Amino acid sequence: MTSTVVLPAAACAAASWIGLVIRFHGRGRLSGTWRSRGWFVLVIAATSGVTVLTSTVLLPYASQLPPVAVGLVAGSAVAPRERAPSTGRPVTAPLTFGISYLLGALSRRLANDRAAWGEQMTHGLIDGYVLREFACSARDHMLARLGEPGFGVTAKAIGKRRTEIETRCAEAVKAAEKSIKTDTDIEKSLRDTGRPVTQHDRTQSRIKLGEARHYCQLMLHLAHDHGPRSDDRSLRTRSREAAVKADPPSWRELPQPRSGEPERSVR
């Protein structure tokens, strides 16, 4: 019992744990949320189950299988796991019984968790000025924690990450400045012409703000994937400090008029 079930399952669980950590390194947090932890455990349980099934059912009768069948099974193990990598649809290998599907589901869960984390971090940053300030503050936070080359981390990898942080921060700052310019241009037009604010003005302002938040969140993905969870508190503090200074134009958040009602004007 121990040699055929417990030991193979334990060895498989340990190997699966290490393999998943290596596979998803820099792609998310395997224990970031209860959903990701659930998929993580499910993958390990599935691989351990396949191991137990193989050691208790298949191996004792392997000698009785026809040579052709053994060849087919062994040959199928080297088949590509994805027929069309561009589509992102995993093709389950015959001997894994859905493990490829579980890995895909875990990958999607990690991506969703990372996106939700970024949205939480930028919650309350509702004008371009505070978004620009927070982006630069988060950049400084990440750059200060890159560290020095050491065990498992090369100078080339650190340099690449530094460049990526700088690039994404520049994109976030550029988008924030576009949001600032859009609001400034609209307010100047309102003052110069005396016209009422329109729904088009509000829509354009919100679009540019949304783009700025999106680029800021893309930069934060680097902190989520490479930084420890202990750094989250510092980033949230920086986000809250920036959000306190937010001063969005009052006309942007006016509700859309109902059908048949005139738009309310703000000057």
Side-chain angles (χ1 to χ4, degrees):
M1 178 71 174
T2 301
S3 60
T4 58
V5 177
V6 179
L7 290 180
C12 179
S16 298
W17 185 295
I18 296 173
L20 287 173
V21 170
I22 295 174
R23 182 187 185 102
F24 291 102
H25 175 69
R27 296 173 55 190
R29 297 175 178 176
L30 289 172
S31 58
T33 64
W34 66 269
R35 291 185 179 89
S36 63
R37 286 192 292 269
W39 284 108
F40 180 47
V41 172
L42 188 58
V43 170
I44 294 177
T47 55
S48 299
V50 170
T51 299
V52 172
L53 179 66
T54 302
S55 63
T56 57
V57 178
L58 299 181
L59 288 183
Y61 302 100
S63 60
Q64 301 179 14
L65 292 175
V68 173
V70 175
L72 291 175
V73 172
S76 65
V78 300
R81 292 182 179 272
E82 293 185 1
R83 291 176 181 169
S86 61
T87 63
R89 296 179 180 178
V91 177
T92 304
L95 296 179
T96 58
F97 299 105
I99 292 177
S100 294
Y101 171 79
L102 296 178
L103 288 172
L106 175 58
S107 179
R108 291 188 294 272
R109 183 70 260 165
L110 293 180
N112 290 337
D113 290 345
R114 177 177 57 192
W117 183 86
E119 291 169 359
Q120 292 173 1
M121 282 294 180
T122 57
H123 181 72
L125 305 180
I126 52 179
D127 75 58
Y129 291 101
V130 298
L131 274 170
R132 183 175 60 185
E133 177 183 341
F134 175 67
C136 294
S137 178
R139 175 202 59 194
D140 296 340
H141 170 88
M142 289 187 283
L143 290 178
R145 287 158 177 77
L146 282 179
E148 299 294 333
F151 180 77
V153 181
T154 64
K156 182 178 180 181
I158 293 177
K160 180 180 179 181
R161 193 175 303 170
R162 182 185 302 276
T163 300
E164 194 171 11
I165 292 172
E166 294 282 7
T167 300
R168 294 199 185 185
C169 179
E171 293 173 347
V173 169
K174 183 178 179 180
E177 290 175 346
K178 287 183 179 179
S179 175
I180 295 172
K181 184 178 185 303
T182 298
D183 288 348
T184 302
D185 290 346
I186 292 174
E187 291 174 352
K188 184 176 183 300
S189 176
L190 295 178
R191 289 194 306 268
D192 293 347
T193 64
R195 66 175 179 82
V197 66
T198 65
Q199 187 59 39
H200 176 74
D201 294 331
R202 289 192 285 268
T203 300
Q204 288 301 309
S205 176
R206 285 194 288 263
I207 287 175
K208 293 301 181 182
L209 177 65
E211 291 176 352
R213 293 181 66 177
H214 171 69
Y215 280 105
C216 189
Q217 290 164 12
L218 289 180
M219 184 190 66
L220 290 175
H221 288 179
L222 299 176
H224 179 272
D225 291 346
H226 300 287
R229 276 183 288 178
S230 57
D231 286 350
D232 291 1
R233 181 177 299 177
S234 176
L235 286 172
R236 286 196 178 92
T237 299
R238 293 167 185 257
S239 176
R240 285 195 294 266
E241 290 175 350
V244 170
K245 306 173 185 177
D247 185 24
S250 58
W251 48 262
R252 181 204 292 157
E253 302 304 326
L254 284 177
Q256 298 182 7
R258 295 179 181 179
S259 177
E261 294 182 358
E263 293 185 342
R264 285 182 284 175
S265 62
V266 176
R267 307 212 175 167

